[in-house]
Amino acid sequence: MTPYRPHDPFDIDAVASALAGLDVRRDAAELARAGSDYHWYSPVLAQALQGRRPHLMVRPRTEAELERVAAACVRHRVPLTVRGGGTGNYGQCVPLFGGVSLDITWLDAVVALQPGRARVQAGILIHRLNEAAAATGQQLAMWPSTERIATLGGFIAGGHSGIGSLRHGILADAGNVTRLVVLTLEDPPRRVVLEGAEIQCAHHAYGSNGILLEVDVALVPRVEWQHTIALFPRYDTLLHFGLAAGAASVRGELDLFQMSAVERRITPYYQGLRGRLEDEDAMFAQVHPASLAGYAALVQAHGGRAVVAGTEAELLAQGLPSCTECAYNHTTLEALKSDRGVTYLQVAYPAPFSPGLVAAQMARFGDEVFMHHEFSRAGGELVAFALPLVQYFDEPQLRALMASFEADGCAIYDPHTWVLEDGGMKQVDEAQLAFKRQADPLGLMNPGKLRAWDERVLGIPGGGL
Ligand SMILES: Cc1cc2nc3c(=O)[nH]c(=O)nc-3n(C[C@H](O)[C@H](O)[C@H](O)COP(=O)(O)OP(=O)(O)OC[C@H]3O[C@@H](n4cnc5c(N)ncnc54)[C@H](O)[C@@H]3O)c2cc1C
């Protein structure tokens, strides 16, 4: 069989017949849900991907049922898009050319919990894994701010880093994900085990080169993190503090799990904080109880004030949000709840990170851009990157803003494209492409998302709908 090409016809009824006895849905409401994710944060994606949905949604109960789905899609040459929690921001779960949406969330068993390591089925909710790990005195090393609603497989296939990355690095850093079992899209499907550096083949590949079945991830001893808010009179001062605290955490002098800098024009969007923070810029941080005094002293030394500290449960009891949900793309979510006129960008800064450059950008962009920076560790180094809110007018405005950041030496991780390479990588990941040739030789998985496949294998322009 030749590889699937966008808009090739297929017989969805034949697949439905092959899946008799499985939980198959074809009603309009279920298909609309199965074709959606959080790409609507981007007005560009919302328009481009409007109305794209699968022809059929299936939710396998067992790995044997999953294998039947994979084999049926191959036999009938039907596109397949895997779906976890459906929280991706780039339309990763949106089937561009219809076909089957595979909901993996019933494959969510905890296979084994050992000191330092969990082996689970990929459809497990991250929060549920954290609860299971807590029963053994452990926790995950990191999670996305969507911890309560996202799956571990979806985080690995679609995510990058998150809460805990300040302490443990990004997903791609060695030791965070140590083993993947991938089911190929062949008839019959094969199981391929990826370990060590091979994991990068399927990490952040948007589910385009095999179905993640089983995942091994790092666990660390559980900490009852103190969720803290510190206020600063100026945003560049806040960033200088972030650099100092982050450096102390890399040196092992402070034990910090998360630090998210959010400027004063954004914090009023947070439910629970409106009217409670004065006109200052905020650092949301999760701090080890043993580091709390040292952290507060550093805040004070930088001219800030520590105003809130407590466990997550204590903050929630006071009607305050947890620091997890003030971070990463929760900022955009909180803003969009009351202001549909905003969107966002993702910006990496040249090293060394310069608060002065951010101050110059704030002066240049004025009311168009509100700043938010995450402090993280990548490859052992402290990094700070921005997820600024943008008051949106139109796509040319977004492109102009991106160009202006790039002129400062920044790199844009474009959240307004559904094409994997056009987001962050800007180049072909040869290992991912080579693995796709093995794991999805017919190009059925999430077609239209991988520019390299479209251009190199199909000989068509990538990214075209
Ligand atoms: C409010 C908000 C905050 C966010 N914060 C963060 C953050 O802190 N860090 C971060 O990295 N991201 C973040 N994201 C993006 C996203 O939520 C995370 O990446 C999340 O972990 C995705 O998990 P999911 O289960 O929802 O995946 P889905 O959206 O269901 O899937 C994501 C991609 O993975 C593929 N996929 C899912 N499961 C499998 C599988 N088993 N096998 C193969 N492919 C699979 C899908 O096909 C899709 O391409 C955020 C998004 C929102 C809306």
Side-chain angles (χ1 to χ4, degrees):
M1 272 200 271
T2 53
Y4 169 84
R5 298 175 75 83
H7 305 295
D8 274 357
F10 49 77
D11 184 352
I12 198 71
D13 292 328
V15 176
S17 301
L19 301 182
L22 273 64
D23 186 56
V24 171
R25 306 291 171 95
R26 297 180 76 174
D27 58 287
E30 198 70 61
L31 296 183
R33 192 193 72 82
S36 65
D37 59 13
Y38 283 67
H39 70 268
W40 53 270
Y41 282 23
S42 159
V44 177
L45 292 182
Q47 194 181 4
L49 304 184
Q50 200 175 17
R52 305 270 160 179
R53 59 193 52 171
H55 293 88
L56 176 159
M57 195 281 285
V58 59
R59 193 182 292 135
R61 300 176 189 89
T62 61
E63 292 186 3
E65 286 192 353
L66 178 66
E67 289 181 14
R68 268 181 68 190
V69 176
C73 285
V74 173
R75 210 170 311 131
H76 299 286
R77 225 165 147 274
V78 173
L80 175 143
T81 305
V82 189
R83 181 182 180 83
T87 66
N89 290 115
Y90 320 125
Q92 295 110 304
C93 278
V94 179
L96 298 183
F97 309 106
V100 169
S101 171
L102 168 70
D103 182 328
I104 194 115
T105 53
W106 282 350
L107 296 178
D108 65 347
V110 175
V111 179
L113 286 180
Q114 293 166 348
R117 190 120 325 267
R119 176 168 296 177
V120 294
Q121 284 184 312
I124 193 167
L125 275 185
I126 299 171
H127 185 66
R128 206 170 77 70
L129 173 54
N130 254 334
E131 285 181 333
T136 68
Q138 302 185 89
Q139 59 159 74
L140 280 162
M142 81 180 75
W143 50 78
S145 63
T146 44
E147 187 247 7
R148 289 180 181 273
I149 51 173
T151 63
L152 189 61
F155 185 36
I156 293 168
H160 174 268
S161 60
I163 312 297
S165 288
L166 178 55
R167 195 177 192 232
H168 298 288
I170 60 175
L171 270 175
D173 282 339
N176 285 327
V177 182
T178 51
R179 180 176 177 271
L180 296 175
V181 180
V182 179
L183 193 73
T184 64
L185 225 68
E186 294 173 290
D187 182 17
R190 286 177 301 129
R191 283 164 193 243
V192 179
V193 177
L194 300 177
E195 288 175 304
E198 294 167 345
I199 286 166
Q200 303 309 330
C201 298
H203 164 46
H204 206 75
Y206 287 7
S208 67
N209 60 9
I211 303 168
L212 303 185
L213 198 54
E214 208 175 81
V215 178
D216 281 24
V217 281
L219 297 179
V220 295
R222 185 168 183 277
V223 174
E224 188 66 83
W225 295 102
Q226 289 284 307
H227 290 236
T228 69
I229 307 176
L231 298 178
F232 290 79
R234 290 168 49 128
Y235 194 68
D236 54 348
T237 313
L238 168 60
L239 294 178
H240 277 293
F241 161 74
L243 284 175
S249 100
V250 171
R251 290 194 301 270
E253 294 162 14
L254 288 177
D255 192 353
L256 307 178
F257 201 54
Q258 170 207 348
M259 268 200 309
S260 312
V262 179
E263 66 142 292
R264 68 194 65 190
R265 292 177 294 177
I266 295 180
T267 39
Y269 285 125
Y270 289 118
Q271 281 173 11
L273 289 180
R274 206 166 298 143
R276 294 174 92 151
L277 298 186
E278 286 150 46
D279 192 20
E280 290 172 281
D281 303 307
M283 183 69 92
F284 299 94
Q286 294 191 43
V287 181
H288 193 289
S291 289
L292 206 50
Y295 181 81
L298 199 59
V299 167
Q300 206 177 10
H302 281 80
R305 303 182 292 133
V307 291
V308 171
T311 63
E312 181 171 29
E314 286 166 352
L315 262 68
L316 295 178
Q318 293 172 49
L320 293 166
S322 91
C323 282
T324 299
E325 298 195 351
C326 293
Y328 284 83
N329 230 346
H330 265 80
T331 311
T332 320
L333 176 62
E334 290 302 316
L336 281 166
K337 279 180 185 167
S338 58
D339 184 353
R340 282 304 181 105
V342 299
T343 186
Y344 73 114
L345 291 174
Q346 300 179 137
V347 183
Y349 281 78
F353 177 71
S354 161
L357 174 58
V358 176
Q361 290 172 337
M362 289 172 80
R364 189 190 322 149
F365 298 135
D367 289 338
E368 220 177 323
V369 174
F370 297 175
M371 283 296 184
H372 157 206
H373 288 80
E374 293 293 334
F375 287 86
S376 175
R377 219 181 282 197
E381 300 286 326
L382 180 70
V383 293
F385 59 91
L387 290 102
L389 289 185
V390 173
Q391 301 295 328
Y392 179 73
F393 306 118
D394 54 21
E395 191 176 352
Q397 171 223 8
L398 278 185
R399 301 288 157 207
L401 279 174
M402 291 184 206
S404 186
F405 275 109
E406 283 171 342
D408 288 338
C410 296
I412 296 290
Y413 289 70
D414 184 2
H416 304 283
T417 174
W418 61 89
V419 179
L420 177 62
E421 295 93 330
D422 297 357
M425 306 189 315
K426 312 280 196 270
Q427 60 186 12
V428 174
D429 183 324
E430 299 292 348
Q432 266 182 8
L433 179 62
F435 188 60
K436 185 170 171 72
R437 289 181 198 271
Q438 291 174 38
D440 178 28
L442 291 183
L444 294 169
M445 294 200 69
N446 219 348
K449 305 287 171 62
L450 216 61
R451 177 179 288 282
W453 182 266
D454 288 359
E455 292 180 354
R456 301 250 190 106
V457 178
L458 303 182
I460 58 174
L465 289 179

